[in-house]
Amino acid sequence: MQEMIKSLSELYGPAGREEAVAAYIRDVMSPLADEVYTDTMGSVVAVKRGSANGKKIMLAAHMDEIGVMITDIDEQGFLRFSNIGGISPFTLIGQRAEFADGTIGVFGFEKLDDIKDLKLNKMYIDIGAGSREEAIAKVNIGDSAVIHKECIIQGQRVIGKAMDDRVGCAVLIETARRLNNSPHEVYFVFTTQEEVGLRGARTAAYSIDPDYGIAVDVTLTGDTPEAHRMAVSLGKGAAVKVKDASVIAHPMVKDLLVSTAKAKGIPYQMEVLERGGTDAGSIHLIRSGVPTGAVSVPCRYIHTPGEMVDLGDVTACVDLLAGVLEEPWE
Amino acid sequence: MTGKDLLRALSGGKGVSGYESDLVPLLSQSFAPLADEIKEDSLGNLVMLRRGTGSEPRSKIMLAAHMDEIGLVITGYEPGGFLRFANIGGIDDRVLLAQEVIVHGRKDLVGVIGAKPPHIQEPDEQDKTVKMNDLFIDVGLDDETVKQLVEIGDMATIAQQPVELQNQRHAGKALDDRAGVVVMQLCLEILSKLSHSADVYAVATVQEEVGLRGAVVSTYGIVPDIGIAIDVGHGDIPGVPAYDTLPLGKGPGIAYGPQVHPKLYQRLTELAKEWSVPYNVEPSTSPAGTDAYAIQITQHGIPTALISLPLRYMHTAVETLDWSDLEAAARLLALFICSVDSEFVEGLQCF
């Protein structure tokens, strides 16, 4: 599990370019599911069939991560870029960029009178090219890059980029490995393009047409110095979503998650997220409506290269999902 | 149950976005004599079908008014048994201070919203709105008991029963948009005495205040030929130009703009003139903000109209409306529904 989270974290997969993550997940999921396929939008769908009278339940975790896209290359070979998803320029200072083919660059910025003036359009990527020609031999306009960062496991804590939401992907994989007794037809969906508007989940849910949905993603915490007030802490268990900006968790799904956690003694905490959204936002509005909830892995420093999660929380999420999928869902 | 009784019961009832199910028994009961079929869809929209007399396949007209209200959600505890909260939907921080609320925990608990008194405020605090982040709910319980009865994620509503002012004007919370739900009931009542060929789907939608979500899925499930949203529009008040508001007591607004099908607008205004139903034209340049927008862009696209009930002090606990506007809106909708035949519906396909 730890090694899997590390591998997933380090893979390249900005929104729209999730192929490497998809290939990894297809390999891992093939022996764990009855059927594995990739849909038109690139989402990986793994189906585990249940008994005849079960429900069709869709679990979703997104494979994509935030990143940058090259918009211009100047005569000296410096690359200008725009954001893919919510990226703050301050988190890029001192970081390395990684392209799909493994090319590495560093983030630089123009001389500024005040660092507060830092915007993405004052920044560039330097891949060490001496000229525009040399640069375009490696990188083209429209190519995407992600942060290059090693994933570190330190005791119970994992630190790395793209925990949002590769840790959710790991939770889904581990849940599939664990699940043997579900009456339900469970769709493990590894979605694309969440960071740019919950897009992969939307089309996947449309084609699967599930009875219920559960999104698995990271959520913010309020347990760091002078943090925004929020009653979620690292290490205190799986977070059961009440609401975020994209969804109000269906009361039936939320209550079933809570009662399962209580019955099985799984540590959990309630999550009221005042900003941000997740795949549940897309899933519940598909067709004539899908009752949908979400289980979140508490994560500090979201959308930075140092996203931090707790392995105990990850286990609690797996326990909770495996548990709830054995319930009758009526 | 009379329309006014229903208005009072709905206004005083609880149903924050996503948690509207408490209103369902009340609505099912009051619509039962008027509808052939009542069912909840998977997100909780209450769909009340009144069949028409036309030959099958009959045209489908969807009326939509949202039953959810803005509200509060508990986000945390403070030492001393106090509760922190956040908003569900567009809450104005300025109207929260010193309100009575009901926290819907394991049982309903009355509470008050408190903050630092004026005597002990810093000078720079005195001329500022107290932000929601600095407010808290006091239900009178100690730390331990409050945690047993209230969980993070429980909803809270403003404790406010509606009152009747002079001139058949009513003030209360959640009239946005439960007044629209009452209009649907009044409309079906009129239709029960008339003949209409189209099927009418009166839908009490959910989760409008957080993004028109109930209308998105209920419209998908129904796929009507015509959709009409009934919502509230800003009533006339001092300090706001008349062109931005609708006068109370002068009939509903008939919206005109990108989200309104021109032939529906034309038919509605013609009927209002012909039958002397008071109305005002409501220019509506932005399509977002009501269920009409969600209905219009569902599936292959739905010809849509929007009826606005004049309402003062929107998103406060003293939302104020004039009963005669509800009656006029219901009459106009009934006249419209009776006028719809298959020829008219076919005509909507070509501009």
Side-chain angles (χ1 to χ4, degrees):
Chain A
M1 179 82 165
Q2 300 183 16
E3 283 311 305
M4 182 168 70
I5 298 174
K6 180 174 161 66
S7 303
L8 282 165
S9 163
E10 289 173 359
L11 284 170
Y12 168 94
R17 294 300 308 275
E18 301 88 352
E19 302 93 318
V21 188
Y24 177 95
I25 289 173
R26 273 197 307 270
D27 279 353
V28 180
M29 286 301 288
S30 291
L32 303 176
D34 296 309
E35 186 190 352
V36 178
Y37 62 91
T38 305
D39 77 7
T40 330
M41 288 276 289
S43 297
V44 175
V45 182
V47 193
K48 245 180 125 119
R49 312 235 178 263
S51 58
N53 49 5
K55 300 287 182 190
K56 200 194 266 190
I57 301 176
M58 171 173 170
L59 306 186
H62 67 90
M63 299 189 288
D64 61 309
E65 65 187 296
I66 54 170
V68 299
M69 181 181 278
I70 303 308
T71 54
D72 191 41
I73 302 170
D74 72 14
E75 287 307 318
Q76 287 72 45
F78 294 107
L79 319 173
R80 296 290 180 161
F81 60 88
S82 179
N83 64 305
I84 298 173
I87 206 158
S88 157
F90 296 98
T91 64
L92 298 176
I93 297 174
Q95 297 297 331
R96 294 174 181 180
E98 177 184 343
F99 290 86
D101 68 350
T103 298
I104 298 291
V106 295
F107 288 98
F109 57 97
E110 301 169 9
K111 178 180 165 298
L112 299 169
D113 291 335
D114 186 340
I115 192 67
K116 280 191 209 151
D117 298 333
L118 184 68
K119 300 225 168 68
L120 290 184
N121 63 15
K122 303 282 183 198
M123 300 190 76
Y124 54 84
I125 295 171
D126 182 352
I127 57 167
S131 67
R132 181 183 156 83
E133 238 170 31
E134 219 177 288
I136 58 176
K138 290 275 191 189
V139 177
N140 263 304
I141 288 168
D143 284 357
S144 302
V146 299
I147 301 283
H148 176 75
K149 204 81 192 174
E150 188 194 357
C151 177
I152 305 288
I153 296 164
Q154 193 159 261
Q156 277 292 95
R157 302 273 153 98
V158 186
I159 306 163
K161 74 163 180 81
M163 284 301 135
D164 174 7
D165 183 30
R166 306 281 163 71
V167 73
C169 295
V171 166
L172 254 60
I173 293 166
E174 203 56 30
T175 303
R177 208 189 301 277
R178 185 88 69 77
L179 199 66
N180 288 315
N181 263 329
S182 177
H184 308 295
E185 185 168 52
V186 184
Y187 286 73
F188 297 87
V189 185
F190 303 86
T191 63
T192 55
Q193 301 194 32
E194 191 270 355
E195 296 291 0
V196 290
L198 322 179
R199 297 183 192 168
R202 186 182 166 97
T203 53
Y206 184 92
S207 72
I208 292 166
D209 195 12
D211 296 316
Y212 297 101
I214 303 178
V216 181
D217 206 336
V218 294
T219 192
L220 300 171
T221 68
D223 63 346
T224 50
E226 303 298 316
H228 175 80
R229 193 189 297 134
M230 184 172 172
V232 172
S233 302
L234 219 59
K236 295 211 172 144
V240 176
K241 191 181 291 289
V242 176
K243 66 150 282 194
D244 62 27
S246 71
V247 68
I248 292 172
H250 194 282
M252 177 254 153
V253 179
K254 183 198 76 175
D255 292 346
L256 186 60
L257 287 165
V258 169
S259 63
T260 304
K262 280 183 178 158
K264 294 185 182 294
I266 300 163
Y268 77 98
Q269 40 195 335
M270 302 307 291
E271 173 204 349
V272 180
L273 183 62
E274 293 179 55
R275 57 210 159 94
T278 185
D279 280 343
S282 279
I283 298 166
H284 81 295
L285 295 182
I286 287 304
R287 297 186 185 242
S288 47
V290 180
T292 302
V295 172
S296 307
V297 183
C299 181
R300 290 179 185 161
Y301 323 117
I302 290 180
H303 285 201
T304 77
E307 294 179 335
M308 183 189 289
V309 299
D310 180 274
L311 287 169
D313 294 339
V314 175
T315 305
C317 289
V318 174
D319 291 345
L320 181 53
L321 287 169
V324 84
L325 289 168
E326 287 173 3
E327 298 291 322
W329 285 72
E330 275 310 336
Chain B
M1 186 177 270
T2 69
K4 281 188 186 169
D5 288 340
L6 181 62
L7 184 75
R8 281 188 278 263
L10 284 174
S11 173
K14 64 168 171 180
V16 177
S17 306
Y19 289 75
E20 301 87 350
S21 58
D22 278 348
L23 300 170
V24 167
L26 172 65
L27 287 176
S28 302
Q29 190 198 345
S30 63
F31 278 80
L34 305 168
D36 297 299
E37 206 178 277
I38 297 180
K39 63 176 183 187
E40 259 182 278
D41 74 11
S42 51
L43 286 199
N45 295 292
L46 193 64
V47 182
M48 298 164 289
L49 165 62
R50 180 177 173 83
R51 290 209 178 81
T53 53
S55 54
E56 296 197 38
R58 285 185 290 276
S59 302
K60 295 191 234 178
I61 302 172
M62 172 177 169
L63 305 179
H66 67 91
M67 60 171 156
D68 63 313
E69 65 183 302
I70 55 173
L72 310 174
V73 56
I74 304 302
T75 56
Y77 310 101
E78 289 286 343
F82 302 102
L83 298 165
R84 293 289 188 183
F85 61 89
N87 61 303
I88 302 272
I91 293 269
D92 182 350
D93 288 13
R94 296 174 307 164
V95 303
L96 285 173
L97 185 62
Q99 288 281 358
E100 290 173 23
V101 297
I102 303 172
V103 179
H104 307 292
R106 188 165 293 175
K107 60 180 187 179
D108 282 359
L109 302 169
V110 176
V112 293
I113 296 181
K116 203 196 272 190
H119 320 70
I120 51 175
Q121 285 171 7
E122 303 297 331
D124 64 337
E125 288 178 313
Q126 289 179 347
D127 54 359
K128 282 186 191 140
T129 302
V130 189
K131 294 285 175 204
M132 197 180 310
N133 218 22
D134 297 321
L135 295 167
F136 45 81
I137 296 172
D138 184 350
V139 293
L141 292 173
D142 59 57
D143 295 290
E144 205 176 307
T145 321
V146 83
K147 282 181 186 170
Q148 282 165 11
L149 292 177
V150 181
E151 191 158 31
I152 290 168
D154 284 346
M155 299 292 155
T157 49
I158 303 295
Q160 180 89 316
Q161 289 300 316
V163 290
E164 189 162 352
L165 310 178
Q166 305 307 304
N167 287 323
Q168 299 208 78
R169 292 190 174 177
H170 296 256
K173 74 168 179 72
L175 296 178
D176 170 6
D177 182 33
R178 299 194 187 140
V181 178
V182 173
V183 167
M184 295 198 298
Q185 190 219 29
L186 297 175
C187 171
L188 294 197
E189 239 166 44
I190 300 170
L191 289 177
S192 69
K193 296 166 194 136
L194 300 171
S195 165
H196 54 100
S197 65
D199 285 346
V200 181
Y201 292 78
V203 186
T205 60
V206 297
Q207 301 193 34
E208 191 271 352
E209 296 289 1
V210 290
L212 323 178
R213 294 178 189 161
V216 169
V217 301
S218 56
T219 312
Y220 189 99
I222 294 166
V223 202
D225 298 292
I226 295 169
I228 305 179
I230 306 147
D231 210 329
V232 292
H234 294 292
D236 53 339
I237 52 169
V240 182
Y243 55 78
D244 276 341
T245 60
L246 293 165
L248 255 62
K250 303 272 168 61
I254 302 177
Y256 194 38
Q259 78 272 43
V260 175
H261 194 292
K263 288 185 179 171
L264 294 183
Y265 171 79
Q266 189 188 359
R267 173 65 63 95
L268 284 163
T269 49
E270 279 171 6
L271 283 167
K273 281 178 202 146
E274 188 184 340
W275 294 88
S276 303
V277 181
Y279 75 95
N280 281 284
V281 176
E282 184 187 33
S284 177
T285 51
S286 158
T290 73
D291 281 345
Y293 178 59
I295 295 168
Q296 184 187 35
I297 56 168
T298 299
Q299 295 217 357
H300 53 277
I302 311 288
T304 300
L306 169 63
I307 300 291
S308 297
L309 307 170
L311 181 93
R312 292 176 180 162
Y313 327 122
M314 200 181 289
H315 285 204
T316 73
V318 293
E319 295 180 332
T320 298
L321 55 71
D322 189 310
W323 179 255
S324 70
D325 293 330
L326 275 60
E327 287 182 324
R331 188 154 164 261
L332 178 59
L333 286 167
L335 287 166
F336 172 82
I337 290 164
C338 291
S339 84
V340 170
D341 54 22
S342 53
E343 195 187 335
F344 178 71
V345 171
E346 275 163 36
L348 295 173
Q349 304 302 324
C350 39
F351 273 82

